[in-house]
Every structure is written in C-alpha cells, then in structure tokens.
Amino acid sequence: MKYWVFDTETYLIAPGRLAPKLVCLSEMEGASPSLHLPDAGCSKLEEKLRSPDWTIVGHNVAFDIAVCVQHRPKLMPLVWRAYDEGRILDTMIWEKLVCIREGWTKYHPQVGAKPKFSLAALVERYLGHSMEGKQDEDAWRYRYHELDEKPLVEWPSAAKLYALKDAEVTHR
C-alpha cells in the first residue's frame, strides 16, 4: 500500500459554505511537497482515488475531500468507494482514537492538559516544534481567497510555503 498525503487551502468557511471554494491543493508524494491549482490538484486526487494501490491521508481529511468534491462533483462516487475500501485515513481521527484507547480524553499526560487535535498540536506533540504562521491575524490561512485564479508563479513565497508545510508535516 502506498500513501498519498494532501491538504487544501480555501476561501474561509462561512454560514452556508462549509466546503468553501478550493484555491490550491498541496500534496506529499515522494521526498518533497508539491502545490497545485484546483483543476490539477483535483486531477491528482482523482488519480489516487481510482487506484486501489493508494491510501489517501490528511488531517481532517473529510473537509479537504468535501472541498475537492465541491470543485469536481464527479469525484463523489470515487470518494465513497475509497472510504468503503478503507483507503482514506485521517490523522486527526487517528489521534482521537489513540487518546480514547489510552483513556486520555480529559487529560493527556504528555502535554499536561486536555488533548488538542489540531495539526499544530500534533506537530508539537510528535515532531517537537511549533508551526509558525498559524494564528497571526494576517496569516495566509485566512487570505487564500486573495490568490484565487492567480498562477502560482505570481504567489508570494510565504503563501506557497504555508500551503506546502501542511502536507509535509502531515506526512512526517
């Protein structure tokens, strides 16, 4: 079984917009992450969904899949088939199951507090470092709509690096 890790950057979630517009998809396949605009990113996802050799991995992956299905509705039957085949894994749900198994739902002894399940919390817990740029008011995670429909060559390097980092650390 091969693993393909991906993440999306979108417009912000809003009332009536729980699967917001896709702006880019980052993936980790091989040694370094790659960044794709919506059509190319959904094509990569479709390729992995069609192949029984690939397991698709993400953090809160149901959100990222919903965003891609919103962009390309024909993915829906492929998504359900991959779920039925057990080929979609979620690192957030995995960590929640670990905490339930260990009895750490109210207090996590490694962090000395109630467990948190964000990607940043897991990076801190398992990789031992913090993720920069997640909480700043002007963080790129809140601003990807500004880049919608622009070619990647026109994107600021900070916006590209932010998107690539999520796929890379989820993979690690």
Side-chain angles (χ1 to χ4, degrees):
M1 186 62 62
K2 299 182 278 187
Y3 295 94
W4 183 71
V5 179
F6 86 107
D7 185 60
T8 62
E9 301 302 336
T10 68
Y11 279 59
L12 294 178
I13 295 171
R17 189 171 63 196
L18 298 179
K21 187 175 182 194
L22 176 62
V23 178
C24 68
L25 181 147
S26 57
E27 64 159 335
M28 188 71 186
E29 181 183 351
S32 59
S34 303
L35 189 61
H36 306 282
L37 293 176
D39 287 335
C42 285
S43 291
K44 293 289 281 188
L45 175 59
E46 183 172 351
E47 171 191 324
K48 303 308 183 207
L49 288 167
R50 287 186 182 283
S51 173
D53 297 332
W54 287 95
T55 295
I56 297 159
V57 181
H59 190 81
N60 194 17
V61 74
F63 171 81
D64 297 301
I65 287 174
V67 165
C68 291
V69 167
Q70 181 74 15
H71 182 79
R72 188 177 287 177
K74 75 176 189 171
L75 294 175
M76 182 62 78
L78 300 173
V79 166
W80 291 126
R81 186 179 77 205
Y83 269 117
D84 286 345
E85 294 170 350
R87 294 189 304 108
I88 298 179
L89 298 178
D90 189 317
T91 57
M92 183 174 68
I93 292 173
W94 188 272
E95 183 66 8
K96 287 180 179 184
L97 291 171
V98 167
C99 287
I100 290 168
R101 181 193 69 208
E102 298 298 328
W104 298 343
T105 57
K106 304 254 187 268
Y107 178 81
H108 194 299
Q110 293 172 334
V111 295
K114 185 174 179 157
K116 295 180 181 172
F117 302 102
S118 67
L119 182 58
L122 270 62
V123 165
E124 205 163 304
R125 191 155 48 247
Y126 289 103
L127 302 179
H129 64 83
S130 62
M131 291 186 71
E132 302 297 320
K134 282 278 189 195
Q135 301 305 325
D136 305 333
E137 273 184 42
D138 65 343
W140 272 108
R141 68 184 293 198
Y142 303 119
R143 301 176 43 212
Y144 276 94
H145 65 279
E146 297 172 20
L147 303 173
D148 189 23
E149 313 251 340
K150 288 187 179 181
L152 290 173
V153 296
E154 294 179 17
W155 286 30
S157 61
K160 291 181 203 176
L161 288 173
Y162 179 92
L164 292 167
K165 193 69 163 170
D166 282 354
E168 188 253 327
V169 296
T170 301
H171 178 263
R172 290 179 48 213

